[in-house]
Amino acid sequence: QVQLVESGGDSVQAGGSLRLSCAGAGYTFTMYCMAWFRQAPGKEREAVATIGRTGSTTYADSVKGRFTISKGSTKNTLYLQMDSLKPEDTAMYYCAARSLWSGPTCVTTSSDYNYWGQGTQVTVSS
């Protein structure tokens, strides 16, 4: 059974940094895409960053230059380094993985990801 477990969420002040981690377990195959999504109260879930099997990345315009997605030394670990945090970054952050091939660039639609973590809360105060 595939499991994704996020950690690292916290409450910080604007301008601060956080590093989110996602540990995957229960599978031996390589996910084609892994991603971080976030969902704020009353808003739709949105893709923050994706990383493909070859290491190619995509970022939402709102986080470009501030967030960095990366994989750990083991294929089942995913990170999101978040710098220069803003109050509008406040949300529940979810780790997601897609085991199906969808092309050289990872998709950014939540319904296209078939594995999800439970989420970790990030709160940024002004």
Side-chain angles (χ1 to χ4, degrees), residues 80-100:
L80 184 68
Q81 178 66 41
M82 305 187 295
D83 299 317
S84 302
L85 283 161
K86 303 176 180 180
E88 50 263 44
D89 294 320
T90 295
M92 184 71 79
Y93 283 71
Y94 297 91
C95 173
R98 177 179 169 90
S99 59
L100 303 176

Side-chain angles (χ1 to χ4, degrees), residues 8-67:
D10 205 345
S11 296
V12 296
Q13 290 194 328
S17 298
L18 282 175
R19 189 192 197 202
L20 305 184
S21 300
C22 172
Y27 61 96
T28 57
F29 53 87
T30 301
M31 298 292 182
Y32 281 108
C33 290
M34 297 195 76
W36 287 98
F37 284 77
R38 67 184 180 187
Q39 188 167 20
K43 295 188 177 181
E44 292 188 355
R45 189 169 297 189
E46 64 173 351
V48 174
T50 71
I51 186 165
R53 192 173 60 171
T54 61
S56 60
T57 59
T58 66
Y59 293 94
D61 288 343
S62 59
V63 306
K64 281 181 182 176
R66 300 189 298 121
F67 291 11

